Structures are given as C-alpha cells and as structure tokens.
Amino acid sequence: MAEDGMLSWDESIFRDEHVFEIDYLPETFRHRDEQLEGLQYALRPAVRGSRPLNAMVRGPPGTGKTTAIQKLFGELDGRRGVRTVRVNCQVDSTRYAVFSRIFEQLFEYEPPASGVSFKSLFKQITDHLTDEDEILTVCLDDVNYLFYEGEASETLYSLLRAHETHAGAKIGVLLVSSDLDLDVIAELDGRVQSVFRPEEVFFPAYDEDAIVDILGERVERGFRDDVLAPPVLDRVAALTAETGDLRVGIDLLRRAGLNAERRASDAVESEDVETAYETARHVHLSRRVRGLSDPERTLLLTIADHDGERAGAVYEAFHDETGLGYTRYSELVNKLDRVGLVDADYTTVEGRGRSRELSLSYDADAIRDRL
C-alpha cells in the first residue's frame, strides 16, 4: 500500500473479493453447531445405506440455512452410493421444474425441454436410483415458493411416495423455508401430512457478537491487513443486526471496500459504510425481485405507480397493460403479498364493504431500481 494512504492504479484493498460474494462458502462455519448436529442426525442413515430422515429447516433470511446444507452435502457427495441435490425453489417453482433439476444433477445433462411427461421423468430418476443402488437426499431450498405457486403438496407427495411406486427407491427430503409466517405442515394436503413427519431444525437470527465474529473472519480473508479497523467493523455489525440478515453485512463490507477504492483510499472508513448501507440493506429485496416472472414484475411496477390505492383501481391499470383477467391478477397479488414485496390489507369502504388496499413493503424508488 502507498505510504500516503492513497491507492495507485494497480493496487487494491481486497485480498480476495470473492469472499464477500453472497454465494461464497466459508471454510469455517461458526455459531451453528446445534443446527449442524440436527441435520447430521437426519442425514446419517444415508451413510449406512438407509433412507435419510426428512427434515424441516426454518429460520429468518440470512441465518446460515443454505450454507449448512451446502457444507453437509459437500461432505456426503464423496461417499459411495449417496447422492444429494439442492433445488432453488425460487427458480424451480413447479413440480416438473424440481424433478428436471434432480434429473440434471443425477444424469449430468438436462432433460429435453419438451415432449417428456412427468411420469417418464420420474421413472427415469427412480430407475437410476435403484439400478445404481444410490440413496438420494433432495433439499428444497426456499420451499415457500412452491407453496406460493400451489405446487408444494404434489411435489412432496411424489418424493415421499417414491418408494411405494418404485420399490428400492430411497429418497429423503429437506425443506428449507425463510417464511416464518408459513405453517408448512398445515398448508400441505392431508395425504402428504400423513407421511411427512420431519425432524425440525431452527436457525435463529445471529446476535451482534456472532455477527462481529463471522464478519471479522471475512475481513481477515477478504481485505488486506489494516484496511478495516475494529470500530468500523462494529458499525457494520450493528447495521447488520438491525436487519437480522447476515447477507446484508457481507454485501455491506464489499460495497464499503469499493467505496474506499473509489476514493483511492487504502482504508475503509465509517463514511464508506454509511454510504454503502443504502444499497446493501436492500440485498434481500434484490433477491426477491430477481425471482419474479414478467407478469409479477409488471404488477409490482403498477402497484408502485398506484401505491396505496384499492385493488380494483390497480387491476384496471394492470389489465390495460397486460390484458390478464381478474382471477390471475388476484393470484399475482397474493404471491407478491406472501413474498413480502407488497402489503394487501383489507379495509372497510363506506357503502362498498371490504376492499383490499395495495401498498409497497419497500420504498418505490428502491423497487423501480431493481425491476
């Protein structure tokens, strides 16, 4: 680093910028021993040649659920006769899409885009498992999105009943949900409830001391020495604790580092953190918007333009834009409400009974910037 505290063109304060990416898998995984033990208990039968126990993994966003699964799946993948597949249900939100992803992971190529029935796809997967004598553990990550699309019960029924329709198929299921308002068991069909008795593993929000510890390790690995002083790290941790989402803190460190480099400084200052926070605090918003379909994006933008208006008025504008009917519109409103992007509250209108009023859960400009 330059002695005057200024960076030259070919210098960087980062030792490894990838450490601050959201999908980075840390070498050490702290403050989650109890949760890892619970998951290991459910998965251990697979190592002995038996079907693993099913598990329900819950907790607020950014509390280490996906990282824990990735860590344990990484350990299992090296064992003979054990296969693991993690499905991101925000991307693959139908039963067919889930099984297409499983097929792709098992066979290492994608199934044909059309012309293959679900029954055929399912049979190829189960035949492979029995022929190869392999045990499969499927993680349905962000399974709440399957519920939002009304696909959860059919998907789970197929996975949980596989051994009945295809003798010898051994499949265990891990459900991961960040929607604490969603009662997973209650929302499932009775036929699924009767066979789904999961182990429950809860990931609470990290406290501020744990956040300092975890982010401190990222700082050591990601920044060069003396780039970020302890008081600045404490401020990052405090802002992260306010959101309850560790991913906000990780993204905040990266953006603060980039702000320091923009100033050609060899140290991250508090001002870099405060400036970066305006963007980093919306990391969960960016993630939610990224998973929306085109009609959902259009509706969200329409609500942004008619924030606080009644559902009927918003529908008229949405219908003019898309031509979609009221039934589909109502389904989309419910989806945006459940993923936490809008608030659809019922209010009593004099002379007209109850009506829904639609408002954004985030600042309108923040949403527009991400659409």
Side-chain angles (χ1 to χ4, degrees):
M1 295 291 185
E3 292 184 4
D4 60 1
M6 300 295 286
L7 294 174
S8 62
W9 284 103
D10 59 350
E11 288 183 315
S12 173
I13 63 174
F14 292 100
R15 193 193 313 274
D16 181 2
E17 193 172 344
H18 179 56
V19 167
F20 301 114
E21 296 293 339
I22 300 299
D23 60 354
Y24 172 78
L25 195 62
E27 291 184 21
T28 57
F29 188 48
R30 302 179 177 180
H31 304 284
R32 286 295 181 248
D33 290 347
E34 179 183 338
Q35 288 75 18
L36 285 172
E37 287 174 7
L39 288 169
Q40 286 170 337
Y41 172 76
L43 295 172
R44 191 168 286 118
V47 179
R48 300 193 294 264
S50 301
R51 190 167 71 244
L53 302 176
N54 301 314
M56 178 71 232
V57 182
R58 298 172 66 248
T63 51
K65 300 182 297 297
T66 298
T67 300
I69 299 293
Q70 289 174 316
K71 279 282 187 185
L72 294 177
F73 274 17
E75 295 174 8
L76 285 175
D77 282 341
R79 294 182 177 270
R80 183 178 176 82
V82 180
R83 299 295 297 271
T84 62
V85 176
R86 175 181 160 265
V87 181
N88 179 355
C89 297
Q90 188 174 4
V91 176
D92 299 311
S93 57
T94 66
R95 181 177 69 159
Y96 193 90
V98 167
F99 278 85
S100 293
R101 187 69 64 187
I102 295 171
F103 181 100
E104 180 186 350
Q105 293 294 311
L106 291 181
F107 291 95
E108 298 183 350
Y109 62 87
E110 294 182 10
S114 60
V116 179
S117 67
F118 173 78
K119 185 176 180 180
S120 173
L121 191 68
F122 183 58
K123 185 177 186 303
Q124 290 182 70
I125 290 170
T126 52
D127 283 350
H128 174 87
L129 294 176
T130 53
D131 291 346
E132 299 296 326
D133 195 22
E134 291 181 337
I135 298 162
L136 174 65
T137 302
V138 177
C139 170
L140 299 179
D141 205 353
D142 279 329
V143 71
N144 33 299
Y145 284 88
L146 285 182
F147 284 92
Y148 303 156
E149 299 295 341
E151 296 274 345
S153 288
E154 289 295 330
T155 303
L156 268 175
Y157 188 78
S158 298
L159 288 168
L160 296 170
R161 295 283 192 179
H163 66 283
E164 295 181 2
T165 55
H166 297 78
K170 299 175 183 177
I171 302 176
V173 182
L174 305 181
L175 303 188
V176 180
S177 175
S178 296
D179 184 349
L180 299 184
D181 293 327
L182 176 68
D183 188 337
V184 169
I185 304 300
E187 291 283 342
L188 291 170
D189 289 351
R191 59 188 178 142
V192 182
Q193 290 181 6
S194 66
V195 293
F196 187 57
R197 293 286 184 266
E199 299 295 314
E200 296 204 13
V201 182
F202 185 75
F203 284 67
Y206 292 107
D207 62 33
E208 199 163 324
D209 288 341
I211 292 171
V212 169
D213 188 35
I214 295 168
L215 294 184
E217 184 182 24
R218 298 277 179 128
V219 168
E220 289 178 10
R221 292 182 179 275
F223 285 129
R224 298 193 182 279
D225 295 343
D226 302 322
V227 163
L228 193 136
V232 181
L233 176 60
D234 289 342
R235 178 56 179 158
V236 172
L239 291 170
T240 304
E242 286 180 14
T243 69
D245 189 335
L246 188 67
R247 294 172 301 189
V248 170
I250 294 168
D251 191 57
L252 181 53
L253 287 172
R254 184 178 73 88
R255 292 181 184 279
L258 293 173
N259 284 346
E261 288 197 335
R262 180 183 296 171
R263 296 188 296 106
S265 172
D266 63 359
V268 175
E269 305 292 348
S270 294
E271 65 188 74
D272 300 312
V273 172
E274 301 298 338
T275 304
Y277 182 61
E278 284 306 305
T279 302
R281 69 191 178 96
H282 289 309
V283 64
H284 44 292
L285 168 61
S286 300
R287 186 168 175 268
R288 288 170 180 168
V289 169
R290 199 160 50 239
L292 297 180
S293 65
D294 288 341
E296 290 161 355
R297 286 171 174 265
T298 301
L299 176 56
L300 188 60
L301 189 58
T302 304
I303 295 173
D305 294 336
H306 299 79
D307 198 14
E309 295 187 18
R310 289 197 296 273
V314 176
Y315 167 68
E316 291 177 8
F318 177 71
H319 177 72
D320 290 343
E321 180 71 24
T322 65
L324 293 174
Y326 194 86
T327 299
R328 181 57 179 150
Y329 162 74
S330 184
E331 291 172 350
L332 295 174
V333 169
N334 290 339
K335 166 77 176 291
L336 295 181
D337 185 17
R338 296 192 75 172
V339 301
L341 288 169
V342 304
D343 295 314
D345 297 322
Y346 281 94
T347 58
T348 302
V349 181
E350 188 174 349
R352 297 184 61 179
R354 284 163 58 79
S355 174
R356 281 207 291 188
E357 200 171 83
L358 305 182
S359 58
L360 299 173
S361 302
Y362 296 87
D363 177 74
D365 289 336
I367 286 179
R368 289 192 184 95
D369 289 344
R370 288 158 179 81
L371 284 171

